[in-house]
């Protein structure tokens, strides 16, 4: 039962990675679908002139941050998986 402990942690980390990446990317795509994530280039209601970018869409910021966290976790998941695989096949002199 002890041998499976490392694999369970890697699977849990992989699941957290997938959730962060999927939710983050969905938030980024939703934000980009709403005026490109910013209000640059929109016409005023009377059809003349341009409105300046008032602010960046918060969904874009949080989605991007969550995607970056997911990518970092993907790296840790790969390292943890490699470490668990190496430790599982290494001979133990006891």
């Amino acid at each position: 039962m002890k041998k499976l402990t490392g694999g369970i942690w890697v699977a849990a980390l992989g699941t957290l990675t997938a959730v962060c990446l999927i939710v983050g990317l969905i938030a980024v795509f939703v934000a980009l679908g709403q005026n490109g994530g910013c209000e640059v280039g929109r016409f005023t209601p009377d059809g003349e002139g341009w409105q300046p970018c008032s602010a960046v869409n918060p969904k874009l910021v949080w989605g991007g941050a969550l995607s970056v966290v997911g990518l970092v976790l993907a790296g840790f998941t790969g390292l943890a998986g490699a470490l668990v695989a190496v430790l599982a096949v290494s001979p133990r002199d006891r």
Side-chain angles (χ1 to χ4, degrees):
M1 200 69 164
K2 268 189 150 181
K3 287 184 180 181
L4 296 176
T5 305
I8 291 172
W9 279 104
V10 172
L13 189 58
T15 303
L16 179 63
T17 300
V19 168
C20 286
L21 279 174
I22 290 170
V23 171
L25 289 175
I26 288 172
V28 167
F29 289 133
V30 166
L32 290 177
Q34 298 173 345
N35 303 325
C38 186
E39 293 183 1
V40 172
R42 292 186 62 192
F43 286 105
T44 57
D46 60 356
E48 298 177 12
W50 296 91
Q51 290 180 345
C53 181
S54 60
V56 175
N57 193 333
K59 291 177 189 167
L60 184 64
V61 174
W62 285 106
L66 201 55
S67 296
V68 168
V69 167
L71 289 174
V72 169
L73 285 174
F76 285 141
T77 303
L79 289 175
L83 183 63
V84 167
V86 166
L87 292 177
V89 296
S90 65
R92 296 184 186 194
D93 296 327
R94 291 186 184 190

